[in-house]
Amino acid sequence: MMNRSKQKPADADLPPPPPDSSDYISPAPRVSVQMFCVAEATAVTSRAAAEDRRLAKAHLSVHMGGIAAAIEAYHKAPTPNVIVLETEGHSDILAGLDELASVCDPGTRVIVIGTAADITPYRELVRRGVNDYVIGPVEVLDVVRSICSLFSASEAVTVGRMIAVVGAKGGVGASTVAHNIAWHIARDVALDSVVIDLDLAFGTASLDYNQDPVQGIANAVFSPDRLDSSFMERLLAKCTDNLSLLAAPAALDQVYDFGADAFDSIFDTLRMTTPCIVLDVPHQWTAWTRRALVGADDILIVAEPDLANMRNAKNMMNMLKSARPNDRPPLYCINQVGMHKRPEIELRAFAKTVESQPIATVPFDSKTFGTAANNGQMIAEISANHRAAKMFQQMARRLTGRSEPKKDSFLSPIIKKLRRAS
């Protein structure tokens, strides 16, 4: 159970302060959530939280009246999966919770939004079945985090992290970047990962990983009624111990026109079993590509240092920031920097236009990248010390929220010997 407050409490019974707002928040599953607010400001914030992508599958309704309104409502109606209650500070919250318990269905989870004036010990709230406690006034992310953490903290439910990689323009090497990052996530971050090649007509993931799977994502998207964990497992091609591939057919025997939600069931099914999913998103603007990007936990845009890429990257960044106001902004990297005889926009000017710095600038090296592509290998397999390989490793750690491991200093062996001697 995740316990939080918005400030460090003096009372040891109160929960610890919240993590930083940039911390990863797993999306909530399909659940019903009913909030009973006291303050109008809390109601406004809660309605804004209902629009957050991580609560897209949850049905969140907002009511006024606090705990008294909740008790009255559940005398006549069944309780939802989650109840969120705002206290009034001077009211007897424990008595209210006891009365609520008499009309509450088993298994319902409860979140309490309190005030700094509350004097109820946190341990007493826990004894009455409260799953989380937040000190108001709350912000949008407080509401989102509290609801989502009820399920991500459960050992029975695993919600995988989804990373989308897309090119600002065709031919910028976004697929190569995506495949190398996924490989490093599996090897260096040691997360079980799946790469999904969403370019069904021209995907290259199977070539880059030297795989020739008979089945792949086409079997899943055209068989929505069969989707479950076992079916998805049979479609995956094993690339390494920790890395699997849901390959594209790369065939032109049919047209791949999809609705906006065509891939939702695939993503949902894999999220339940896979800690990390990397989407190789093709450079096309359709309802489903936009939905995949907006629904991802983290986004990496790959661009080259020219005018069209700069314009497209800025447009994509602006759109995604607007569609995901409670997420950290999309990240971007600049690929194929230093191509011979090609005029390039200076990185400083590119970053000024896009209004953020790239997380990496990958150098152009036609020989190394060409050899890797033709051999079905990653850059680190061709040259472990290559500058690009180190950048892919750094981006893998950045996108998964894993910091670089600390390096031992030259005094470490001496310190270890002294500790053993003592």
Side-chain angles (χ1 to χ4, degrees), residues 228-238 244 270 273-274:
D228 58 28
S229 298
S230 298
F231 180 65
M232 292 300 300
E233 189 70 27
R234 293 196 296 271
L235 301 181
L236 296 176
K238 194 78 170 176
S244 298
L270 281 175
T273 59
T274 309

mmCIF file of all heavy atoms in Angstrom, residues 228-238 244 270 273-274:
data_model
loop_
_atom_site.group_PDB
_atom_site.id
_atom_site.type_symbol
_atom_site.label_atom_id
_atom_site.label_comp_id
_atom_site.label_asym_id
_atom_site.label_seq_id
_atom_site.Cartn_x
_atom_site.Cartn_y
_atom_site.Cartn_z
ATOM 1 N N ASP A 228 -5.183 -13.079 -25.382
ATOM 2 C CA ASP A 228 -4.920 -13.282 -23.965
ATOM 3 C C ASP A 228 -3.418 -13.493 -23.822
ATOM 4 O O ASP A 228 -2.681 -13.511 -24.807
ATOM 5 C CB ASP A 228 -5.722 -14.445 -23.394
ATOM 6 C CG ASP A 228 -5.457 -15.769 -24.099
ATOM 7 O OD1 ASP A 228 -4.334 -15.949 -24.629
ATOM 8 O OD2 ASP A 228 -6.348 -16.620 -24.146
ATOM 9 N N SER A 229 -2.956 -13.636 -22.599
ATOM 10 C CA SER A 229 -1.513 -13.732 -22.366
ATOM 11 C C SER A 229 -0.892 -14.940 -23.061
ATOM 12 O O SER A 229 0.215 -14.853 -23.616
ATOM 13 C CB SER A 229 -1.231 -13.790 -20.859
ATOM 14 O OG SER A 229 -1.676 -12.616 -20.222
ATOM 15 N N SER A 230 -1.596 -16.058 -23.063
ATOM 16 C CA SER A 230 -1.057 -17.272 -23.682
ATOM 17 C C SER A 230 -0.941 -17.107 -25.195
ATOM 18 O O SER A 230 0.063 -17.512 -25.810
ATOM 19 C CB SER A 230 -1.954 -18.471 -23.359
ATOM 20 O OG SER A 230 -2.000 -18.694 -21.969
ATOM 21 N N PHE A 231 -1.956 -16.519 -25.797
ATOM 22 C CA PHE A 231 -1.935 -16.302 -27.243
ATOM 23 C C PHE A 231 -0.806 -15.345 -27.619
ATOM 24 O O PHE A 231 -0.061 -15.586 -28.584
ATOM 25 C CB PHE A 231 -3.287 -15.747 -27.705
ATOM 26 C CG PHE A 231 -3.365 -15.476 -29.186
ATOM 27 C CD1 PHE A 231 -3.288 -16.515 -30.100
ATOM 28 C CD2 PHE A 231 -3.523 -14.184 -29.659
ATOM 29 C CE1 PHE A 231 -3.356 -16.270 -31.469
ATOM 30 C CE2 PHE A 231 -3.600 -13.933 -31.016
ATOM 31 C CZ PHE A 231 -3.519 -14.979 -31.920
ATOM 32 N N MET A 232 -0.642 -14.264 -26.854
ATOM 33 C CA MET A 232 0.417 -13.303 -27.148
ATOM 34 C C MET A 232 1.794 -13.937 -26.982
ATOM 35 O O MET A 232 2.710 -13.667 -27.763
ATOM 36 C CB MET A 232 0.285 -12.094 -26.219
ATOM 37 C CG MET A 232 -0.946 -11.226 -26.468
ATOM 38 S SD MET A 232 -1.008 -10.533 -28.135
ATOM 39 C CE MET A 232 0.498 -9.599 -28.160
ATOM 40 N N GLU A 233 1.934 -14.800 -25.989
ATOM 41 C CA GLU A 233 3.220 -15.462 -25.765
ATOM 42 C C GLU A 233 3.636 -16.294 -26.972
ATOM 43 O O GLU A 233 4.820 -16.350 -27.328
ATOM 44 C CB GLU A 233 3.131 -16.334 -24.510
ATOM 45 C CG GLU A 233 4.454 -16.913 -24.041
ATOM 46 C CD GLU A 233 5.388 -15.857 -23.484
ATOM 47 O OE1 GLU A 233 4.912 -14.832 -22.986
ATOM 48 O OE2 GLU A 233 6.612 -16.081 -23.582
ATOM 49 N N ARG A 234 2.674 -16.922 -27.621
ATOM 50 C CA ARG A 234 2.982 -17.751 -28.794
ATOM 51 C C ARG A 234 3.406 -16.915 -29.997
ATOM 52 O O ARG A 234 4.084 -17.430 -30.898
ATOM 53 C CB ARG A 234 1.765 -18.608 -29.156
ATOM 54 C CG ARG A 234 1.420 -19.673 -28.136
ATOM 55 C CD ARG A 234 0.485 -20.716 -28.713
ATOM 56 N NE ARG A 234 -0.816 -20.168 -29.078
ATOM 57 C CZ ARG A 234 -1.851 -20.084 -28.239
ATOM 58 N NH1 ARG A 234 -1.712 -20.501 -26.974
ATOM 59 N NH2 ARG A 234 -2.993 -19.581 -28.631
ATOM 60 N N LEU A 235 3.029 -15.657 -30.021
ATOM 61 C CA LEU A 235 3.357 -14.796 -31.163
ATOM 62 C C LEU A 235 4.722 -14.138 -31.038
ATOM 63 O O LEU A 235 5.242 -13.610 -32.024
ATOM 64 C CB LEU A 235 2.294 -13.698 -31.314
ATOM 65 C CG LEU A 235 0.850 -14.152 -31.541
ATOM 66 C CD1 LEU A 235 -0.052 -12.932 -31.703
ATOM 67 C CD2 LEU A 235 0.751 -15.049 -32.766
ATOM 68 N N LEU A 236 5.316 -14.173 -29.838
ATOM 69 C CA LEU A 236 6.576 -13.485 -29.605
ATOM 70 C C LEU A 236 7.760 -14.311 -30.087
ATOM 71 O O LEU A 236 7.810 -15.526 -29.878
ATOM 72 C CB LEU A 236 6.749 -13.172 -28.119
ATOM 73 C CG LEU A 236 5.734 -12.211 -27.496
ATOM 74 C CD1 LEU A 236 5.994 -12.081 -25.993
ATOM 75 C CD2 LEU A 236 5.801 -10.848 -28.158
ATOM 76 N N ALA A 237 8.707 -13.632 -30.727
ATOM 77 C CA ALA A 237 9.965 -14.263 -31.120
ATOM 78 C C ALA A 237 11.028 -13.904 -30.088
ATOM 79 O O ALA A 237 11.181 -12.740 -29.719
ATOM 80 C CB ALA A 237 10.389 -13.778 -32.495
ATOM 81 N N LYS A 238 11.748 -14.897 -29.613
ATOM 82 C CA LYS A 238 12.762 -14.686 -28.579
ATOM 83 C C LYS A 238 14.062 -14.195 -29.225
ATOM 84 O O LYS A 238 14.656 -14.883 -30.056
ATOM 85 C CB LYS A 238 13.007 -16.000 -27.837
ATOM 86 C CG LYS A 238 13.770 -15.847 -26.539
ATOM 87 C CD LYS A 238 12.873 -15.339 -25.437
ATOM 88 C CE LYS A 238 13.560 -15.401 -24.078
ATOM 89 N NZ LYS A 238 12.750 -14.821 -23.010
ATOM 90 N N SER A 244 12.114 -9.922 -26.323
ATOM 91 C CA SER A 244 11.270 -10.611 -27.302
ATOM 92 C C SER A 244 10.758 -9.613 -28.322
ATOM 93 O O SER A 244 10.779 -8.398 -28.100
ATOM 94 C CB SER A 244 10.092 -11.305 -26.610
ATOM 95 O OG SER A 244 10.544 -12.292 -25.704
ATOM 96 N N LEU A 270 -0.124 -7.158 -23.146
ATOM 97 C CA LEU A 270 1.314 -7.240 -22.895
ATOM 98 C C LEU A 270 1.715 -6.493 -21.628
ATOM 99 O O LEU A 270 2.645 -6.899 -20.924
ATOM 100 C CB LEU A 270 2.086 -6.692 -24.092
ATOM 101 C CG LEU A 270 2.215 -7.644 -25.286
ATOM 102 C CD1 LEU A 270 2.891 -6.953 -26.459
ATOM 103 C CD2 LEU A 270 3.007 -8.889 -24.896
ATOM 104 N N THR A 273 1.975 -8.568 -18.437
ATOM 105 C CA THR A 273 2.990 -9.616 -18.279
ATOM 106 C C THR A 273 4.418 -9.129 -18.523
ATOM 107 O O THR A 273 5.368 -9.848 -18.211
ATOM 108 C CB THR A 273 2.713 -10.783 -19.244
ATOM 109 O OG1 THR A 273 2.710 -10.298 -20.590
ATOM 110 C CG2 THR A 273 1.368 -11.429 -18.946
ATOM 111 N N THR A 274 4.572 -7.930 -19.084
ATOM 112 C CA THR A 274 5.889 -7.481 -19.517
ATOM 113 C C THR A 274 6.264 -6.170 -18.835
ATOM 114 O O THR A 274 5.541 -5.188 -18.952
ATOM 115 C CB THR A 274 5.909 -7.275 -21.049
ATOM 116 O OG1 THR A 274 5.399 -8.438 -21.687
ATOM 117 C CG2 THR A 274 7.321 -7.001 -21.532
#
